[in-house]
């Protein structure tokens, strides 16, 4: 109990220690809260997409940036969370009992919960694979889930799609997404600043050495996989409720995985701030190039991403911290590595 209390106190001090960073965060959140009330809906959707990519980027970074498990199946949990959310708010369209009908908030949480449980169920199997075999395995998993849901037209609507009834207006859903994004960032910061985070970093650096120190690699891989997948499922639920329409090729498509990975690479892998910066940069870049470069926008995006990876491998966050001399987020947590008798027996 004392160790857990010290961990929470350390987390609060870390969150509130940099007043400048806290002030910037508060002003940014308040500015985002005004967007749906002062802009047209199409522009609100642009900023909504930024928030979704922040959640996706941060959630993937827990798995890939901290635990070192390069998952290419993140889109599966995003899409599955979206469909679970849709089934809970609009069960009649999938011939499900009306008793399942739930408020949008409950449905979104349900999508996150089911996505997290799915990750924990398949985790022990898929973590038998390592390195690029694990990446290929998660990609195959995403393809299988997309194929199954696409073929089950009763539940997905097939190519015709699935229309979702939400009790919220789009302004309310935008604010809900903003709140979830803030909570996701805070929760992620808490995870990576805790003993769990230190164990994940140890596994990322050298799994064999971490295991010799008494860390159970499977346990912490599953924690990262479960948390990251649940967050992705929540992002999918929010997306489904906001758009009001789901199509298997859209919400389960590989492009969500690629774009989430790009957000992390652009912002800076292995940091919480990085995906936030990367999401804003990626969506802004995509929008500007779509306006000025028309059909060449995607090609220019690809070229810029390659240049980022070559000349700025630590992403935008790395560039900023190099200039400001602030590397606090890149430092390992201050807590000790979990003791052998705590982890090895799990």
């Amino acid at each position: 109990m004392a160790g857990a209390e010290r961990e929470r106190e350390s987390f609060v001090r870390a969150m509130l220690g940099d007043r400048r960073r806290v002030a910037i965060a508060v002003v940014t959140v308040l500015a985002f809260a005004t967007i749906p009330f002062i802009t047209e809906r199409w522009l609100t959707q642009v900023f909504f997409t930024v928030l979704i990519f922040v959640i996706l980027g941060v959630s993937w970074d827990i798995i890939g940036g901290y635990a070192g498990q390069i998952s290419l199946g993140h889109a599966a949990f995003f899409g599955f969370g979206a469909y679970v959310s849709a089934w809970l708010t609009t069960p009649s369209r999938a011939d499900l009992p009306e008793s399942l009908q739930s408020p949008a908030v409950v449905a979104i949480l349900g999508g996150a919960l089911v996505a997290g449980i799915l990750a924990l169920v398949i985790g022990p199997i898929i973590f038998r694979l390592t390195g690029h075999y694990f990446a290929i395995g998660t990609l195959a998993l995403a393809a299988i889930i997309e194929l199954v849901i696409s073929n089950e037209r009763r539940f997905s609507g097939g190519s015709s799609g699935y229309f979702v009834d939400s009790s919220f207006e789009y302004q309310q859903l935008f604010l809900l997404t903003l709140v979830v994004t803030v909570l996701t960032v805070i929760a992620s910061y808490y995870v990576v600043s805790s003993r769990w985070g230190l164990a994940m970093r140890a596994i990322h650096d050298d799994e064999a050495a971490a295991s010799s120190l008494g860390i159970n690699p499977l346990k912490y891989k599953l924690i990262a996989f479960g948390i990251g997948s649940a967050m992705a499922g929540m992002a999918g639920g929010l997306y489904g409720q906001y758009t009001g329409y789901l199509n298997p090729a859209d919400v389960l498509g590989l492009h969500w995985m690629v774009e989430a990975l790009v957000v992390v690479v652009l912002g800076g892998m292995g940091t919480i701030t990085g995906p936030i910066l990367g999401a804003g940069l990626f969506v802004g870049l995509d929008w500007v190039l779509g306006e000025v470069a028309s059909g060449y926008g995607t090609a220019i995006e690809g070229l810029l991403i390659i240049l980022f990876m070559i000349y700025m491998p630590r992403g935008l966050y790395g560039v900023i911290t190099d200039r400001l001399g602030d590397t606090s987020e890149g430092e390992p947590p201050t807590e000790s590595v979990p003791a052998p008798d705590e982890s090895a027996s799990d």
Side-chain angles (χ1 to χ4, degrees):
M1 291 294 292
E5 189 173 338
R6 284 197 303 271
E7 201 169 280
R8 286 192 293 269
E9 290 175 356
S10 175
F11 166 71
V12 172
R13 285 197 301 270
M15 285 290 292
L16 302 179
D18 188 339
R19 294 184 179 179
R20 180 181 59 182
R21 184 176 293 179
V22 172
I24 292 172
V26 170
V27 170
T28 302
V29 170
L30 292 176
F32 262 78
T34 66
I35 286 172
F37 305 105
I38 63 173
T39 63
E40 297 181 14
R41 181 161 185 173
W42 69 269
L43 189 55
T44 299
Q45 178 135 3
V46 172
F47 286 101
F48 172 80
T49 305
V50 172
L51 296 176
I52 292 296
F53 276 124
V54 169
I55 299 173
L56 275 177
V58 168
S59 64
W60 187 90
D61 206 29
I62 291 175
I63 303 169
Y66 286 94
Q69 308 304 304
I70 306 301
S71 170
L72 298 181
H74 217 48
F77 300 101
F78 174 84
F80 201 61
Y83 269 104
V84 170
S85 170
W87 295 331
L88 289 176
T89 52
T90 320
S92 58
R93 292 209 171 95
D95 293 329
L96 294 172
E98 287 290 339
S99 58
L100 290 177
Q101 188 164 0
S102 307
V105 174
V106 174
I108 292 165
L109 291 174
L113 179 63
V114 173
I117 292 173
L118 177 63
L120 293 177
V121 169
I122 64 174
I125 301 171
I126 205 163
F127 279 123
R128 292 177 180 271
L129 305 172
T130 57
H132 57 279
Y133 294 108
F134 173 78
I136 294 170
T138 55
L139 182 60
L141 171 68
I144 291 169
I145 291 177
E146 181 181 0
L147 182 63
V148 170
I149 291 183
S150 298
N151 288 339
E152 293 294 330
R153 296 176 58 85
R154 168 189 166 188
F155 297 107
S156 67
S159 58
S160 300
Y162 194 103
F163 290 90
V164 184
D165 293 334
S166 178
S167 56
F168 286 171
E169 297 293 330
Y170 81 92
Q171 295 98 334
Q172 295 171 314
L173 281 167
F174 182 92
L175 293 178
L176 177 61
T177 305
L178 177 60
V179 171
V180 171
T181 303
V182 172
L183 293 177
T184 298
V185 171
I186 293 173
S188 301
Y189 194 81
Y190 179 77
V191 169
V192 302
S193 300
S194 68
R195 295 161 64 86
W196 287 359
L198 184 55
M200 290 174 194
R201 289 173 189 257
I203 293 168
H204 177 282
D205 292 339
D206 191 326
E207 186 172 327
S211 184
S212 70
L213 292 173
I215 296 173
N216 185 337
L218 179 59
K219 171 184 174 180
Y220 291 102
K221 287 179 184 179
L222 281 175
I223 289 173
F225 199 43
I227 292 173
S229 299
M231 289 177 176
M234 187 170 292
L238 289 164
Y239 179 82
Q241 295 297 319
Y242 186 88
T243 60
Y245 173 80
L246 301 177
N247 186 292
D250 177 25
V251 295
L252 290 161
L254 186 61
H255 65 280
W256 284 107
M257 176 62 253
V258 174
E259 290 167 352
L261 186 54
V262 167
V263 162
V264 174
V265 170
L266 289 178
M269 189 179 295
T271 67
I272 298 299
T273 307
I276 300 173
L277 299 173
L281 177 61
F282 174 70
V283 175
L285 193 63
D286 187 63
W287 179 57
V288 171
L289 290 176
E291 292 291 323
V292 302
S294 188
Y296 297 100
T298 303
I300 297 172
E301 270 181 44
L303 177 61
L304 290 173
I305 290 166
I306 291 172
L307 293 175
F308 251 81
M309 295 178 71
I310 294 173
Y311 296 107
M312 289 184 282
R314 293 176 56 217
L316 192 58
Y317 180 79
V319 174
I320 293 173
T321 53
D322 284 345
R323 290 184 177 276
L324 298 179
D326 176 15
T327 59
S328 57
E329 207 173 305
E331 294 298 323
T334 56
E335 288 80 11
S336 59
V337 176
D341 60 346
E342 177 189 355
S343 304
S345 59
D346 291 329

